[in-house]
Tab-separated table of all heavy atoms in Angstrom:
chain	number	residue	atom	x	y	z
A	31	THR	N	3.273	-20.837	6.344
A	31	THR	CA	1.848	-21.118	6.154
A	31	THR	C	1.052	-20.564	7.312
A	31	THR	O	-0.017	-19.937	7.106
A	31	THR	CB	1.631	-22.656	6.056
A	31	THR	OG1	2.324	-23.160	4.941
A	31	THR	CG2	0.158	-22.979	5.914
A	32	GLN	N	1.533	-20.761	8.530
A	32	GLN	CA	0.826	-20.240	9.699
A	32	GLN	C	0.752	-18.736	9.646
A	32	GLN	O	-0.298	-18.139	9.946
A	32	GLN	CB	1.618	-20.664	10.961
A	32	GLN	CG	0.736	-21.396	11.937
A	32	GLN	CD	1.556	-21.862	13.131
A	32	GLN	OE1	2.703	-21.474	13.353
A	32	GLN	NE2	0.942	-22.707	13.926
A	33	ARG	N	1.832	-18.096	9.256
A	33	ARG	CA	1.888	-16.623	9.174
A	33	ARG	C	0.876	-16.107	8.199
A	33	ARG	O	0.157	-15.105	8.421
A	33	ARG	CB	3.286	-16.191	8.818
A	33	ARG	CG	3.531	-14.705	8.803
A	33	ARG	CD	5.004	-14.369	8.737
A	33	ARG	NE	5.187	-12.980	8.344
A	33	ARG	CZ	5.785	-12.579	7.242
A	33	ARG	NH1	6.221	-13.434	6.350
A	33	ARG	NH2	5.904	-11.293	6.971
A	34	ILE	N	0.752	-16.773	7.050
A	34	ILE	CA	-0.221	-16.387	6.026
A	34	ILE	C	-1.619	-16.485	6.557
A	34	ILE	O	-2.455	-15.607	6.442
A	34	ILE	CB	-0.025	-17.215	4.762
A	34	ILE	CG1	1.313	-16.879	4.074
A	34	ILE	CG2	-1.190	-16.984	3.772
A	34	ILE	CD1	1.685	-17.837	2.972
A	35	GLN	N	-1.904	-17.618	7.193
A	35	GLN	CA	-3.278	-17.873	7.667
A	35	GLN	C	-3.633	-16.919	8.798
A	35	GLN	O	-4.766	-16.453	8.869
A	35	GLN	CB	-3.391	-19.321	8.098
A	35	GLN	CG	-3.303	-20.293	6.908
A	35	GLN	CD	-3.339	-21.739	7.309
A	35	GLN	OE1	-3.065	-22.102	8.449
A	35	GLN	NE2	-3.649	-22.620	6.363
A	36	HIS	N	-2.690	-16.633	9.668
A	36	HIS	CA	-2.936	-15.642	10.734
A	36	HIS	C	-3.239	-14.270	10.152
A	36	HIS	O	-4.155	-13.583	10.625
A	36	HIS	CB	-1.716	-15.538	11.667
A	36	HIS	CG	-1.553	-16.730	12.587
A	36	HIS	ND1	-0.392	-16.967	13.299
A	36	HIS	CD2	-2.415	-17.729	12.906
A	36	HIS	CE1	-0.567	-18.044	14.002
A	36	HIS	NE2	-1.763	-18.543	13.802
A	37	TYR	N	-2.513	-13.914	9.102
A	37	TYR	CA	-2.751	-12.634	8.460
A	37	TYR	C	-4.167	-12.594	7.867
A	37	TYR	O	-4.900	-11.613	8.071
A	37	TYR	CB	-1.741	-12.353	7.353
A	37	TYR	CG	-2.092	-11.100	6.565
A	37	TYR	CD1	-1.640	-9.845	7.011
A	37	TYR	CD2	-2.920	-11.145	5.433
A	37	TYR	CE1	-1.996	-8.677	6.350
A	37	TYR	CE2	-3.279	-9.987	4.779
A	37	TYR	CZ	-2.798	-8.751	5.239
A	37	TYR	OH	-3.202	-7.602	4.588
A	38	LEU	N	-4.542	-13.637	7.153
A	38	LEU	CA	-5.846	-13.654	6.490
A	38	LEU	C	-6.999	-13.527	7.507
A	38	LEU	O	-7.977	-12.828	7.250
A	38	LEU	CB	-5.989	-14.956	5.660
A	38	LEU	CG	-5.050	-15.065	4.469
A	38	LEU	CD1	-5.203	-16.435	3.827
A	38	LEU	CD2	-5.323	-13.968	3.442
A	39	VAL	N	-6.875	-14.189	8.619
A	39	VAL	CA	-7.920	-14.127	9.633
A	39	VAL	C	-7.941	-12.731	10.278
A	39	VAL	O	-9.014	-12.132	10.416
A	39	VAL	CB	-7.699	-15.215	10.707
A	39	VAL	CG1	-8.658	-15.017	11.883
A	39	VAL	CG2	-7.868	-16.593	10.099
A	40	ARG	N	-6.770	-12.205	10.583
A	40	ARG	CA	-6.682	-10.886	11.221
A	40	ARG	C	-7.194	-9.774	10.298
A	40	ARG	O	-7.844	-8.826	10.767
A	40	ARG	CB	-5.230	-10.621	11.594
A	40	ARG	CG	-5.014	-9.333	12.384
A	40	ARG	CD	-3.540	-9.178	12.755
A	40	ARG	NE	-3.215	-10.067	13.856
A	40	ARG	CZ	-2.103	-10.800	13.925
A	40	ARG	NH1	-1.225	-10.777	12.956
A	40	ARG	NH2	-1.860	-11.558	14.987
A	41	ALA	N	-6.918	-9.908	9.011
A	41	ALA	CA	-7.313	-8.891	8.051
A	41	ALA	C	-8.733	-9.071	7.520
A	41	ALA	O	-9.152	-8.334	6.642
A	41	ALA	CB	-6.346	-8.854	6.897
A	42	ASN	N	-9.436	-10.060	8.043
A	42	ASN	CA	-10.803	-10.336	7.603
A	42	ASN	C	-10.874	-10.758	6.138
A	42	ASN	O	-11.754	-10.386	5.396
A	42	ASN	CB	-11.687	-9.088	7.831
A	42	ASN	CG	-13.152	-9.439	7.930
A	42	ASN	OD1	-13.505	-10.513	8.371
A	42	ASN	ND2	-14.010	-8.500	7.569
A	43	LEU	N	-9.867	-11.610	5.758
A	43	LEU	CA	-9.787	-12.128	4.405
A	43	LEU	C	-9.867	-13.661	4.398
A	43	LEU	O	-9.161	-14.328	3.630
A	43	LEU	CB	-8.486	-11.657	3.712
A	43	LEU	CG	-8.421	-10.194	3.287
A	43	LEU	CD1	-6.999	-9.805	2.899
A	43	LEU	CD2	-9.398	-9.921	2.152
A	44	ASP	N	-10.709	-14.185	5.251
A	44	ASP	CA	-10.829	-15.643	5.375
A	44	ASP	C	-11.158	-16.315	4.049
A	44	ASP	O	-10.834	-17.490	3.859
A	44	ASP	CB	-11.936	-16.003	6.398
A	44	ASP	CG	-11.760	-15.301	7.725
A	44	ASP	OD1	-11.748	-14.040	7.707
A	44	ASP	OD2	-11.664	-15.972	8.739
A	45	LEU	N	-11.788	-15.585	3.144
A	45	LEU	CA	-12.164	-16.158	1.840
A	45	LEU	C	-10.939	-16.653	1.032
A	45	LEU	O	-11.085	-17.400	0.078
A	45	LEU	CB	-12.968	-15.154	1.016
A	45	LEU	CG	-12.217	-13.979	0.340
A	45	LEU	CD1	-13.056	-13.375	-0.750
A	45	LEU	CD2	-11.801	-12.949	1.346
A	46	LEU	N	-9.740	-16.175	1.451
A	46	LEU	CA	-8.514	-16.556	0.735
A	46	LEU	C	-7.734	-17.677	1.404
A	46	LEU	O	-6.636	-18.003	0.976
A	46	LEU	CB	-7.611	-15.341	0.575
A	46	LEU	CG	-8.135	-14.192	-0.271
A	46	LEU	CD1	-7.146	-13.033	-0.264
A	46	LEU	CD2	-8.396	-14.659	-1.723
A	47	LEU	N	-8.283	-18.273	2.434
A	47	LEU	CA	-7.556	-19.340	3.138
A	47	LEU	C	-7.196	-20.483	2.203
A	47	LEU	O	-6.155	-21.104	2.347
A	47	LEU	CB	-8.360	-19.845	4.321
A	47	LEU	CG	-8.359	-18.901	5.544
A	47	LEU	CD1	-9.387	-19.366	6.572
A	47	LEU	CD2	-6.982	-18.885	6.194
A	48	ASP	N	-8.037	-20.774	1.218
A	48	ASP	CA	-7.757	-21.838	0.258
A	48	ASP	C	-6.627	-21.484	-0.656
A	48	ASP	O	-6.122	-22.339	-1.431
A	48	ASP	CB	-8.986	-22.182	-0.540
A	48	ASP	CG	-10.074	-22.900	0.280
A	48	ASP	OD1	-9.745	-23.420	1.382
A	48	ASP	OD2	-11.240	-22.898	-0.138
A	49	TYR	N	-6.214	-20.219	-0.672
A	49	TYR	CA	-5.112	-19.734	-1.549
A	49	TYR	C	-3.801	-19.664	-0.803
A	49	TYR	O	-2.840	-19.056	-1.309
A	49	TYR	CB	-5.503	-18.380	-2.121
A	49	TYR	CG	-6.500	-18.429	-3.244
A	49	TYR	CD1	-7.858	-18.633	-2.965
A	49	TYR	CD2	-6.159	-18.254	-4.581
A	49	TYR	CE1	-8.802	-18.700	-3.947
A	49	TYR	CE2	-7.088	-18.337	-5.585
A	49	TYR	CZ	-8.415	-18.551	-5.266
A	49	TYR	OH	-9.333	-18.601	-6.272
A	50	THR	N	-3.703	-20.232	0.363
A	50	THR	CA	-2.490	-20.123	1.185
A	50	THR	C	-1.251	-20.561	0.423
A	50	THR	O	-0.229	-19.882	0.472
A	50	THR	CB	-2.642	-20.955	2.464
A	50	THR	OG1	-3.734	-20.439	3.253
A	50	THR	CG2	-1.373	-20.886	3.304
A	51	SER	N	-1.325	-21.674	-0.271
A	51	SER	CA	-0.130	-22.147	-0.977
A	51	SER	C	0.250	-21.226	-2.115
A	51	SER	O	1.439	-21.041	-2.431
A	51	SER	CB	-0.346	-23.576	-1.505
A	51	SER	OG	-1.425	-23.620	-2.417
A	52	VAL	N	-0.745	-20.660	-2.768
A	52	VAL	CA	-0.482	-19.687	-3.852
A	52	VAL	C	0.217	-18.441	-3.289
A	52	VAL	O	1.184	-17.942	-3.863
A	52	VAL	CB	-1.810	-19.279	-4.549
A	52	VAL	CG1	-1.558	-18.184	-5.576
A	52	VAL	CG2	-2.456	-20.494	-5.208
Side-chain angles (χ1 to χ4, degrees):
T31 299
Q32 235 177 13
R33 185 167 164 245
I34 292 169
Q35 293 176 341
H36 286 167
Y37 174 87
L38 292 174
V39 172
R40 184 178 285 137
N42 204 28
L43 287 169
D44 308 59
L45 74 163
L46 295 177
L47 283 169
D48 289 342
Y49 284 76
T50 297
S51 62
V52 174

